[in-house]
Amino acid sequence: MEQLPEDWQRGIVIAAHPDDIEYGAAAAVARWTRQGKDIRYVLVSSGEAGIAGLPPAECGPLREDEERASAKIVGVSEVEFLGHPDGRIEESLALRRDLAAAIRRHRPDMVVLFNFGDTWARGYANSADHRAVGRAALDAVSDAGNEWIHPELADLPAWSPRWAAVYGVPDGSHGLDVTDTFETAVESLTAHRRYLEALGPDTAETQARAVLEMTAGPKEGVPGAHALTFELYHFAG
């Protein structure tokens, strides 16, 4: 397995909800910010429909705060929320436009996306929001470099990233050793304390460590006790 390219300086991570990034990719983000890379987050929704019993008007701001705290732990200070409705995100031209605009604003070389396949693993359906965001974002990487597709973005100069890397995929083409930043990733996911505590009786840290042992555990072909795999897409940037 090839190593994920790291000869770049600025990256953005695009995800549907607060906490999506922390279920694995934050370990890579922590590695990259330690290298001096500029990493920024773009969240399509505020996760306002994510906690049972907590009305969206209360849940959204709480989850935004948890995401900002989580991002800070791995060295990310810029977190943008696009305001699409949690649980009802549509793979649409409007979403592509909003994501292309974000790519033009942040001008990344690397765009990191979450698994947008139909399943997490055999027999486990992926979220409709994850599918919509990932597929629209992959198209938006191309859109961002084309001055004619979204003429309403004319005030933002066209920009073409070099790569998009999709994490959380069952069989990725590229790997990354995140052993040195695994504990930081656990801390980052634990920062979603209110969200995790609503999922079950275990503490937020216990849940965070358990899930990251699965998502960022050892991977065949990647050195280290903790690793991530990605599907890498190449663009003309």
Side-chain angles (χ1 to χ4, degrees), residues 103-146:
I103 290 167
R104 289 186 182 187
R105 281 194 299 274
H106 297 293
R107 303 174 75 81
D109 295 309
M110 172 68 80
V111 177
V112 178
L113 307 175
F114 199 17
N115 177 6
F116 50 82
D118 290 336
T119 61
W120 288 107
R122 182 172 294 175
Y124 292 89
N126 200 354
S127 156
D129 282 357
H130 296 160
R131 299 196 309 268
V133 169
R135 291 168 182 169
L138 194 63
D139 289 335
V141 173
S142 294
D143 291 356
N146 187 314

Side-chain angles (χ1 to χ4, degrees), residues 17-148:
H17 317 105
D19 80 82
D20 287 348
I21 297 169
E22 285 68 48
Y23 278 91
V29 171
R31 173 185 168 108
W32 294 330
T33 58
R34 288 185 184 184
Q35 294 171 352
K37 290 176 171 42
D38 177 355
I39 310 295
R40 303 169 185 193
Y41 288 175
V42 176
L43 283 300
V44 172
S45 82
S46 296
E48 68 275 8
I51 299 179
L54 189 65
E58 297 177 42
C59 185
L62 182 152
R63 297 202 68 197
E64 287 187 4
D65 287 345
E66 288 190 336
E67 181 57 46
R68 292 187 186 98
S70 181
K72 186 176 180 180
I73 290 167
V74 295
V76 173
S77 59
E78 190 160 345
V79 181
E80 182 177 8
F81 296 91
L82 299 184
H84 287 251
D86 181 19
R88 295 177 288 130
I89 300 171
E90 296 180 332
E91 183 187 352
S92 63
L93 188 60
L95 178 57
R96 280 172 53 187
R97 179 201 62 222
D98 290 351
L99 292 171
I103 290 167
R104 289 186 182 187
R105 281 194 299 274
H106 297 293
R107 303 174 75 81
D109 295 309
M110 172 68 80
V111 177
V112 178
L113 307 175
F114 199 17
N115 177 6
F116 50 82
D118 290 336
T119 61
W120 288 107
R122 182 172 294 175
Y124 292 89
N126 200 354
S127 156
D129 282 357
H130 296 160
R131 299 196 309 268
V133 169
R135 291 168 182 169
L138 194 63
D139 289 335
V141 173
S142 294
D143 291 356
N146 187 314
E147 61 187 305
W148 307 118

